């Protein structure tokens, strides 16, 4: 929920997906947890699993043309993926924090 995993008070994400170097409350090194492409992979996987029933329900309920079906499912999938990505990134960084998987440097 965009809270620091260490203290539970500071913000975990600054802006949309940027992770600050440290928590403004407890000064935990949040920037050392390498989220990289993991959150994007999990967010896309979740949405692709939801895409199959979404296409089926849209086709059965509304009977749109194939182009309209593509537009409807494309917009819904894009919006839900962007919303889900922020929550998945927070959970991913929380998991890395719990397992102490910091970037140790080269």
């Amino acid at each position: 929920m965009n809270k620091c995993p260490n203290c539970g008070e500071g913000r975990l994400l600054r802006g949309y997906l940027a992770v600050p170097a440290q928590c403004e409350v407890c000064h935990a090194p949040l920037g050392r947890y390498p989220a990289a492409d993991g959150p994007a992979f999990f967010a896309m996987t979740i949405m692709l699993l939801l895409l199959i029933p979404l296409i089926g329900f849209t086709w059965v309920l509304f009977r749109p043309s194939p182009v309209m079906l593509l537009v409807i499912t494309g917009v819904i999938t894009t919006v839900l993926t962007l919303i889900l990505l922020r929550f998945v990134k927070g959970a991913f960084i929380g998991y890395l924090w719990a397992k102490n998987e910091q970037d140790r440097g080269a």
Side-chain angles (χ1 to χ4, degrees), residues 23-68:
C23 174
E24 67 264 3
V25 176
C26 68
H27 305 290
L30 299 176
R32 295 195 56 160
Y33 297 102
D37 293 334
F41 172 77
F42 285 111
M44 288 187 302
T45 302
I46 292 167
M47 283 311 302
L48 287 175
L49 290 172
L50 296 176
L51 182 63
I52 296 168
L54 176 67
I55 290 174
F57 287 132
T58 304
W59 181 258
V60 169
L61 293 176
F62 302 114
R63 285 288 187 197
S65 66
V67 174
M68 186 55 76

Side-chain angles (χ1 to χ4, degrees), residues 51 54 68-80:
L51 182 63
L54 176 67
M68 186 55 76
L69 179 66
L70 178 67
V71 170
I72 292 170
T73 56
V75 169
I76 291 172
T77 303
T78 302
V79 170
L80 289 177

Side-chain angles (χ1 to χ4, degrees), residues 2-3 5-6 50 55 66:
N2 197 25
K3 299 292 181 191
N6 190 41
L50 296 176
I55 290 174

